[in-house]
Amino acid sequence: MAVNLKGRNFLTLKDFTPDEINYLLNLAHDLKAKKRLGIKGNSMAGKNIVLLFEKTSTRTRCAFEVGAMDEGAGVTFLANSQFGKKESVEDTAKVLGRMFDGIEFRGFKQETVEDLAKYSGVPVWNGLTDLYHPTQVLADFMTMQEHTAKPLNKCKLVFVGDARNNMGNSLMIGAAKLGMDFTAVAPKELWPNEELTKEMQALGAETGATITITDDLDGVKGADAIYADVWVSMGEEDKFAERIDLLKDYQVNAELMKRTENPDVIFLHCLPSFHDLNTSIGKEVYEKFGLKEMEVTDEVFRSSCSKVFDEAENRLHTIKAVMVATIGA
């Protein structure tokens, strides 16, 4: 049966079948090839989308804006509205749904993006919440397809660090959906939600996925991709001391990459990354804690195994695929 995602929301990968996720990945590859050839699209001509951001953004905002414009849509970045201040999420959703064909939200509560979807009457796309980051995972999997000589369901993906954050959650969900071998290597204090883990392990029994949570660094052995994220997520800036203490032994460095015993292993990161002192926060952390690098060393970040900028570019193509699939002609 052909996949049809018209009118669908994109809130979490839990809502999508393996066939639907693979459809979005295949569409993203096609759209990327066309953009490289200079072939312009018009599948969203006459459409308009609105972007709502509570959290700052580089890749997500740019990918939605460029992706929409590439396909002929108009874009409104709504930065100074009454959203959540003088006007409820429900009322805002009802207004925006009458003016726009799609709504993107990037913020804190998953409940907010779900309410936008409930009340707007148009497709709503999750650009990141505290629980999930589904558009990022599509870009991650697309990058693995480009740089790993195996189908995804034969790959081992290892997340190292704060495994109870939105990336740890979403990578585990995506891996479970597509039958991958997924391992989260993290201190026990930062393991993902037990209920979600059990749910994904049960799903894995159906799809062929293996879901492992461990605090043992040997969990990286056999990895095709090592994935890291910042140790302190947006909204948790007061937790640097706590997280550094918990995660200092979980830094992705050359030794950890060798520990995979895979000479073709790649490194992935959703960015931004604290791999040097060229940021104000990086300098502050160095002054307070003496760390020049955090979740990944500069050596690994800049190495040939690092595919982080291919991954960043693929945010554009996968986000474009989500919009084309849900509101395109």
Side-chain angles (χ1 to χ4, degrees):
M1 180 181 294
V3 172
N4 185 349
L5 302 181
K6 301 301 182 189
R8 291 274 297 275
N9 299 306
F10 192 75
L11 309 183
T12 168
L13 290 177
K14 291 171 76 172
D15 298 335
F16 291 80
T17 67
D19 284 346
E20 290 169 340
I21 294 171
N22 281 314
Y23 170 80
L24 289 170
L25 290 170
N26 290 336
L27 179 57
H29 285 291
D30 181 59
L31 292 169
K32 181 175 183 176
K34 288 178 178 176
K35 186 172 178 70
R36 291 286 176 87
L37 292 170
I39 300 172
K40 294 187 177 296
N42 63 354
S43 68
M44 293 196 291
K47 306 284 187 179
N48 291 284
I49 71 166
V50 61
L51 311 180
L52 298 174
F53 283 73
E54 291 177 337
K55 290 185 176 182
T56 55
S57 171
T58 299
R59 281 148 296 279
T60 301
R61 177 181 175 180
C62 293
F64 270 101
E65 289 193 349
V66 174
M69 290 186 287
D70 275 355
E71 292 294 325
V75 182
T76 296
F77 178 71
L78 199 56
N80 59 347
S81 72
Q82 299 295 349
F83 176 63
K85 302 169 188 175
K86 291 184 178 180
E87 189 165 51
S88 67
V89 175
E90 177 181 350
D91 291 355
T92 301
K94 289 176 178 177
V95 170
L96 296 179
R98 291 178 178 234
M99 300 183 182
F100 293 94
D101 301 286
I103 300 171
E104 182 274 349
F105 172 78
R106 177 183 174 92
F108 294 93
K109 295 180 180 179
Q110 180 70 14
E111 178 186 356
T112 304
V113 76
E114 290 174 355
D115 282 346
L116 286 168
K118 180 179 179 180
Y119 296 113
S120 68
V122 299
V124 172
W125 310 300
N126 181 0
L128 176 145
T129 65
D130 288 342
L131 280 181
Y132 304 122
H133 198 359
T135 59
Q136 177 66 52
V137 174
L138 290 181
D140 302 334
F141 288 177
M142 182 180 184
T143 308
M144 289 181 68
Q145 289 176 321
E146 292 175 334
H147 294 286
T148 305
K150 298 178 183 178
L152 289 176
N153 64 358
K154 301 297 182 183
C155 288
K156 179 175 180 178
L157 170 63
V158 179
F159 181 88
V160 182
D162 179 6
R164 43 99 259 174
N165 72 5
N166 47 26
M167 281 313 309
N169 290 342
S170 294
L171 288 167
M172 178 167 60
I173 293 167
K177 288 281 185 177
L178 296 188
M180 298 169 65
D181 183 350
F182 174 80
T183 297
V185 177
K188 291 181 179 179
E189 295 89 340
L190 298 176
W191 282 9
N193 176 272
E194 185 176 358
E195 182 179 349
L196 177 63
T197 301
K198 288 181 177 178
E199 180 185 354
M200 291 305 108
Q201 288 172 335
L203 176 61
E206 300 174 10
T207 64
T210 301
I211 307 297
T212 304
I213 313 298
T214 181
D215 60 356
D216 187 348
L217 290 172
D218 280 340
V220 304
K221 286 184 179 178
D224 295 290
I226 297 291
Y227 200 112
D229 191 6
V230 293
W231 288 347
V232 176
S233 298
M234 284 180 281
E236 299 181 336
E237 286 77 10
D238 60 337
K239 297 186 182 296
F240 270 104
E242 172 189 321
R243 295 292 166 72
I244 288 171
D245 184 58
L246 285 171
L247 291 167
K248 60 182 182 295
D249 294 331
Y250 292 83
Q251 182 187 69
V252 177
N253 50 38
E255 180 183 349
L256 188 71
M257 297 297 284
K258 289 178 183 177
R259 207 162 176 166
T260 67
E261 300 178 356
N262 179 5
D264 298 318
V265 65
I266 63 173
F267 173 72
L268 300 175
H269 193 302
C270 52
L271 303 183
S273 168
F274 295 114
H275 62 95
D276 57 23
L277 297 180
N278 295 329
T279 63
S280 59
I281 293 177
K283 290 175 183 176
E284 289 175 15
V285 169
Y286 175 66
E287 291 170 1
K288 289 182 180 179
F289 305 104
L291 282 180
K292 292 183 178 180
E293 308 154 312
M294 281 188 270
E295 74 279 1
V296 60
T297 61
D298 197 55
E299 178 185 10
V300 170
F301 187 88
R302 298 182 186 276
S303 70
S304 60
C305 70
S306 176
K307 308 303 177 185
V308 297
F309 295 110
D310 289 346
E311 186 183 5
E313 179 194 340
N314 285 340
R315 293 298 307 286
L316 166 62
H317 309 300
T318 48
I319 281 173
K320 188 192 296 186
V322 170
M323 291 189 291
V324 167
T326 55
I327 70 168

